[in-house]
Amino acid sequence: MRAGRPRDEGVRRAILVAAQELVLERGYAAVTMGDVAKRAGAGKQTLYRWWPGKGALVLDAFSEWVSQAPRLRGPRRPSLSSTLVELCRGASEAAPVLRALMAEAQFDEDLHRRLIAQLVRPRGDELRACLVDRRPADRELVVNVLSGLVWQRLMLNEPLDARFVRFALRVVERI
């Protein structure tokens, strides 16, 4: 059980929104925890009590943003193509932030674990849900190939556009 007062959901939400806005406006490297606290109207100590550092805070802000993005829902399973298009759209919108988080995660083991748990694994699960007709080993191979292609494009600052989606789908057709 956590000691002290419970988190105020309104303050938490304001902090996450402020972190997302600032990082999109200024870039990850230019934003400090103090900047986020000021924009959110919260104390800097509150941020450090709730998050171990800027990377974890920004990851939570963008994880929440991604989780609230419209997803393809309905009675039918979404196609691999439509799921990949949505994944690429979201990744493109947050590309600079994702690159910064991935870079920082190489040196921060806790952030690395969080990045996998909060962004990488859930996006892989979305892809897996489109591949239920494939053998499990093939399903995992397709998810890893698509994830690798998306991350490579992100890290090289190359577009995740319709042309890329067509290419990626052609690649996994052969698996």
Side-chain angles (χ1 to χ4, degrees), residues 118-168:
Q118 291 176 238
L119 285 180
V120 175
R121 194 169 295 126
R123 300 304 71 78
D125 291 343
E126 289 178 19
L127 293 170
R128 274 182 205 88
C130 303
L131 300 166
V132 294
D133 298 335
R134 297 216 184 195
R135 294 179 321 153
D138 291 346
R139 190 171 33 231
E140 288 309 304
L141 180 58
V142 168
V143 168
N144 284 323
V145 167
L146 290 174
S147 295
L149 289 170
V150 168
W151 277 103
Q152 178 189 28
R153 300 287 286 208
L154 277 171
M155 297 308 286
L156 297 174
N157 198 23
E158 294 180 359
L160 292 167
D161 54 10
R163 183 174 174 212
F164 165 76
V165 170
R166 286 190 304 273
F167 164 76

Side-chain angles (χ1 to χ4, degrees), residues 59 62-63 66 98 114-123:
L59 177 59
F62 279 87
S63 293
V66 166
L98 293 172
R114 289 172 183 252
L115 183 66
I116 290 170
Q118 291 176 238
L119 285 180
V120 175
R121 194 169 295 126
R123 300 304 71 78

Side-chain angles (χ1 to χ4, degrees), residues 47-82:
L47 275 68
Y48 282 107
R49 187 170 41 250
W50 293 349
W51 290 277
K54 180 173 74 170
L57 169 58
V58 171
L59 177 59
D60 280 358
F62 279 87
S63 293
E64 188 158 308
W65 174 73
V66 166
S67 73
Q68 293 175 356
R71 292 281 182 252
L72 302 165
R73 290 177 175 62
R76 295 179 39 200
R77 176 174 22 112
S79 70
L80 181 59
S81 175
S82 60

